Amino acid sequence: MLNLTKFLGYVAEHNPNEPEFLQAVTEVVEDLIPYINNHHQDYETLKILERIAEPERVVSFRVTWLDDNNVIQVNRGYRVQMNSAIGPYKGGLRFSPTVNLSILKFLAFEQVFKNSLTGLPIGGGKGGSDFNPKGKSDMEIMRFCQSFMTELYRHIGAETDVPAGDIGVGGREIGYLYGQYKRIQNNFTGVLTGKGVHWGGSYIRPEATGYGLLYFVSCVLDNNNDTLEGKTIAISGAGNVAYYAAEKAILLGAKVITLSNSSGTLYDEDGFTLEKLHHLATLGRDIQEFTKKYKSATFYAEQKPWQFKCDIALPCATQNELDKNDAEILVENGCICVAEGANMPSTAEAVKVFHAAKIVYAPGKAANAGGVAVSGLEMSQNAIGQQWNTQKVDSQLKAIMENIHRTCIRYGKEECGYINYLRGANIGGFIKVAEAMKAQGVV
Ligand code: NDP
């Protein structure tokens, strides 16, 4: 029989100084070990858990580039190729000074389960660099991306590993990365997703994570005979995921009261409208400026959105941004659902608070899988040389999110009727990968 404490001791010993990775593994194996002991004891002998917690490959490399003053800059690039049992490695690239191996391993590990949940044939990976894109000129961003790809290109491929965007990597960066890949390889292929719609990209990819999150929340509410109409929603972040989550929430009749970034939180007592959102998008990171035009809004410097009373909380910024104290305030204020647009935004203690209060907690690996799902659809379109229209991609995205929701219920419904979405997502995402690893032998 597998023992949780013993297994976590093993992972901690093999991955010293990697707290985020250990946190992600703990959150998953707490559900998997009892399940394996009850249903799949052969996985113990096959060392499925030891293998799934060990990246198949980790590449780390030097990225040297010239800034606008012709000064040489040196950063570190990474690609973590976690698991390819069910398809090519797939997962975003993050450019942020906070990037380190622990964070990329946690993200790659989560990605394995998330990608499996989409039902598409994609394995898990993640990459990025400690490069800080903030305050850099367009040319500096381009030179950095070109240098980064000059090493990365040898480790990726349309049927090997297909990176996409993440924090600090949007359409512009994907463009520069793709241009350099094509220049080196002389090959127009689907090696990256998140490409522009005129050069191999998919409609709805920029919107997919945020829209998918709201489709998932709609399923959650529908399961309780409820809808988004009139619900008050607090969102953190003001980037790709937060923006499109807010847009879809407004379109579905909810009232979005907050958006935020690392400088603070914008609270609008009247709720954001589409017009207000468009204005916010023109302000860049200076979200405080918003209050000059809209008097219903107040900016709270250095504060998080979770103090404001809401029915639904959507953390869409970064890992561990919502702690135990925030979770307690949300529960006290009557929040009925926390659904994660970001990856692991709730600390382990916060998740315990949600579960104890029996409110809905939808983990990122299920709730934010819409982004990678449409990336998977972009790969399919590239492979057959076609481009599907907005309606077709959007309806497939919706169907995938509904399917993930069904999987969570299937594996996460407790005897009392409470749905433990985390357990449902962990077990539902794991089974397919474990069976593929078993079938493929000791590799
Ligand atoms: P972006 O870079 O577009 O936006 C990130 C946003 O989060 C920015 O507003 C940023 O503010 C804010 N933020 C970052 N760190 C902090 C912090 N410590 N405190 C408060 N705000 C912070 O990234 P994305 O929207 O693409 O990604 C957001 C999250 O969603 C990440 O966890 C990512 O892994 C996850 N995700 C993204 C997917 C995608 O398709 N893009 C898919 C699935 C998950 P500032 O500018 O001030 O730093």
Side-chain angles (χ1 to χ4, degrees):
M1 291 289 233
L2 283 164
N3 176 285
L4 179 65
T5 313
K6 207 169 144 199
F7 181 75
L8 289 176
Y10 161 87
V11 178
E13 195 184 326
H14 283 76
N15 302 277
N17 308 316
E18 294 186 358
E20 293 86 359
F21 179 58
L22 195 58
Q23 182 183 343
V25 173
T26 305
E27 200 175 277
V28 169
V29 297
E30 274 175 354
D31 288 326
L32 292 187
I33 288 184
Y35 178 78
I36 292 170
N37 285 341
N38 282 330
H39 301 279
H40 283 284
Q41 288 174 18
D42 53 329
Y43 289 175
E44 183 181 358
T45 331
L46 291 168
K47 297 241 163 102
I48 296 288
L49 285 190
E50 286 85 346
R51 286 154 68 186
I52 218 167
E54 187 67 34
E56 289 177 12
R57 189 175 298 104
V58 176
V59 188
S60 161
F61 51 94
R62 187 177 68 202
V63 187
T64 317
W65 55 284
L66 274 183
D67 70 15
D68 286 344
N69 299 317
N70 280 330
V71 175
I72 295 170
Q73 300 289 339
V74 182
N75 286 101
R76 188 173 297 165
Y78 302 91
R79 187 70 185 163
V80 178
Q81 298 181 329
M82 199 76 191
N83 193 297
S84 63
I86 63 167
Y89 309 106
K90 178 100 200 81
L93 297 171
R94 178 176 292 190
F95 291 170
S96 160
T98 61
V99 159
N100 58 41
L101 198 54
S102 171
I103 287 180
L104 293 182
K105 279 173 67 179
F106 117 63
L107 289 164
F109 183 75
E110 287 280 291
Q111 197 81 44
V112 173
F113 299 86
K114 182 189 306 190
N115 292 4
S116 167
L117 279 170
T118 66
L120 301 171
I122 38 182
K126 201 83 189 188
S129 172
D130 59 0
F131 170 71
N132 186 357
K134 287 179 190 164
K136 300 290 188 298
S137 73
D138 204 43
M139 287 300 105
E140 288 177 323
I141 298 278
M142 184 177 79
R143 285 194 294 273
F144 175 81
C145 287
Q146 290 179 339
S147 183
F148 184 84
M149 184 53 85
T150 303
E151 171 60 32
L152 186 70
Y153 87 94
R154 48 185 119 241
H155 310 289
I156 61 176
E159 287 167 357
T160 310
D161 183 353
V162 184
D166 191 74
I167 292 179
V169 179
R172 174 181 62 168
E173 291 74 18
I174 292 291
Y176 293 149
L177 291 163
Y178 192 71
Q180 183 71 352
Y181 180 87
K182 193 162 58 66
R183 175 203 221 175
I184 297 170
Q185 292 286 57
N186 192 25
N187 190 341
F188 197 108
T189 176
V191 71
L192 293 173
T193 57
K195 302 187 289 300
V197 288
H198 301 303
W199 43 280
S202 175
Y203 287 106
I204 301 286
R205 177 59 189 92
E207 296 88 344
T209 310
Y211 279 21
L213 176 65
L214 269 296
Y215 293 153
F216 193 89
V217 172
S218 299
C219 293
V220 166
L221 293 173
D222 185 54
N223 195 48
N224 293 313
N225 299 316
D226 202 351
T227 70
L228 272 162
E229 187 77 42
K231 293 283 182 298
T232 301
I233 303 192
I235 299 180
S236 66
N240 172 271
V241 179
Y243 183 87
Y244 288 109
E247 181 175 277
K248 189 49 99 178
I250 294 165
L251 289 169
L252 293 174
K255 180 179 175 187
V256 175
I257 52 164
T258 65
L259 287 159
S260 72
N261 69 12
S262 48
S263 67
T265 291
L266 204 50
Y267 169 73
D268 190 323
E269 61 179 356
D270 291 349
F272 287 87
T273 58
L274 292 182
E275 186 195 313
K276 288 178 181 178
L277 263 189
H278 295 156
H279 176 63
L280 186 65
T282 65
L283 303 176
R285 297 193 55 247
D286 196 6
I287 59 173
Q288 186 169 359
E289 275 289 300
F290 185 86
T291 57
K292 290 198 179 140
K293 183 160 177 192
Y294 294 102
K295 299 299 169 207
S296 54
T298 313
F299 181 72
Y300 292 82
E302 309 282 318
Q303 291 196 39
K304 303 192 230 177
W306 316 125
Q307 61 184 295
F308 299 102
K309 189 170 163 49
C310 63
D311 301 309
I312 296 167
L314 305 177
C316 297
T318 193
Q319 65 274 356
N320 292 328
E321 53 160 311
L322 195 164
D323 62 20
K324 182 170 181 251
N325 186 40
D326 301 322
E328 285 168 350
I329 294 171
L330 283 170
V331 170
E332 253 171 53
N333 281 342
C335 176
I336 56 168
C337 168
V338 178
E340 297 181 336
N343 287 309
M344 210 168 74
S346 311
T347 62
E349 292 75 25
V351 175
K352 288 199 171 77
V353 172
F354 300 142
H355 280 155
K358 295 263 185 270
I359 70 165
V360 172
Y361 164 66
K365 63 178 78 89
N368 73 33
V372 74
V374 173
S375 274
L377 300 178
E378 182 173 330
M379 287 166 70
S380 305
Q381 292 169 73
N382 292 163
I384 58 173
Q386 284 187 9
Q387 188 172 45
W388 301 333
N389 63 28
T390 300
Q391 289 75 11
K392 179 164 174 164
V393 180
D394 195 34
S395 68
Q396 290 202 43
L397 168 63
K398 212 182 225 170
I400 290 171
M401 298 313 295
E402 287 166 359
N403 199 31
I404 295 175
H405 185 261
R406 273 192 294 276
T407 304
C408 289
I409 293 192
R410 180 169 171 204
Y411 294 104
K413 194 164 187 171
E414 296 181 349
E415 268 175 28
C416 62
Y418 176 67
I419 295 158
N420 185 328
Y421 282 90
L422 178 61
R423 182 173 304 147
N426 283 337
I427 297 173
F430 170 71
I431 290 172
K432 198 165 78 172
V433 179
E435 283 300 301
M437 290 171 75
K438 184 175 163 185
Q440 290 167 20
V442 181
V443 291

